Amino acid sequence: LRYNPTEHLVLAIYLQFVVIALNVLNLLPLLLLDSTQWAVPWRSASAWYMTPIELAIIGWGWKQFFCLDWRRHAWRIALALLVFWLVKKALLLGYARIIMWMVLAG
């Protein structure tokens, strides 16, 4: 469809905003509950359902933006979801390593 890089950037920012907004909505019940008791189980449970929701948002965004048919272009959507998931895991791992390094160094 000959989108320029700015349009790709807008898609990425929009989808990331939706993912972040849903993660914030997911954490809102912790404001009403005793967060010291519920934070750890809530985060471990949300890891099971938030990742599929995030992947569904990314897949839907790609399908809409690039006008892809689910049957003909399933491999492209699957590749985009795989890249998103791998980058997400790599960033989380890198963030954890930086935090560990900062704690142990200082």
Side-chain angles (χ1 to χ4, degrees):
L1 298 173
R2 297 182 186 238
Y3 292 121
N4 63 37
T6 304
E7 291 167 323
H8 284 274
L9 182 63
V10 167
L11 171 69
I13 291 171
Y14 173 73
L15 290 177
Q16 192 60 39
F17 170 77
V18 172
V19 166
I20 291 170
L22 284 177
N23 277 299
V24 168
L25 287 175
N26 179 52
L27 294 175
L28 281 179
L30 288 177
L31 292 175
L32 302 175
L33 302 170
D34 180 19
S35 60
T36 57
Q37 177 187 359
W38 285 97
V40 174
W42 192 276
R43 295 290 295 168
S44 63
S46 68
W48 286 99
Y49 63 84
M50 284 308 292
T51 299
I53 290 172
E54 293 169 358
L55 291 174
I57 290 168
I58 300 300
W60 175 81
W62 267 61
K63 181 193 175 309
Q64 293 294 317
F65 185 75
F66 294 113
C67 300
L68 299 175
D69 180 35
W70 288 112
R71 287 178 224 104
R72 287 187 22 219
H73 301 286
W75 67 273
R76 289 182 185 195
I77 297 170
L79 182 62
L81 297 179
L82 178 66
V83 168
F84 171 78
W85 184 76
L86 289 173
V87 169
K88 176 184 171 182
K89 292 299 177 187
L91 288 173
L92 285 173
L93 181 63
Y95 175 71
R97 288 185 187 263
I98 289 171
I99 295 297
M100 285 176 43
W101 177 77
M102 289 172 56
V103 168
L104 294 176

